[in-house]
Amino acid sequence: GVAGTANTGSGGGAGCLASQYYPGAAGGSGIVIIRTATSNYSGTHQNGTVTTDGSDTIISFTQSGTLTG
């Protein structure tokens, strides 16, 4: 099978047993997205990416990280 796409949480491809064994593949890694009004955000983060969209702050994590505040 084919591995899942990174940062999508998608599943991996299935294996099969035909004339020979073809193993399944790993699923894709996950992503966490937090969106809040910028006026409400005063926290700190580690290993996240912060962007703004209008009056909102968006924090996304594609690896292990922390958000406090």
Side-chain angles (χ1 to χ4, degrees):
V2 176
T5 304
N7 303 328
T8 64
S10 60
C16 71
L17 179 60
S19 59
Q20 76 181 77
Y21 175 66
Y22 297 95
S29 57
I31 185 168
V32 172
I33 301 171
I34 300 162
R35 184 179 187 127
T36 186
T38 300
S39 60
N40 293 335
Y41 176 68
S42 61
T44 60
H45 71 282
Q46 181 178 15
N47 293 332
T49 301
V50 177
T51 57
T52 57
D53 180 22
S55 60
D56 290 346
T57 295
I58 303 162
I59 307 104
S60 57
F61 297 90
T62 56
Q63 60 183 332
S64 180
T66 60
L67 176 66
T68 58

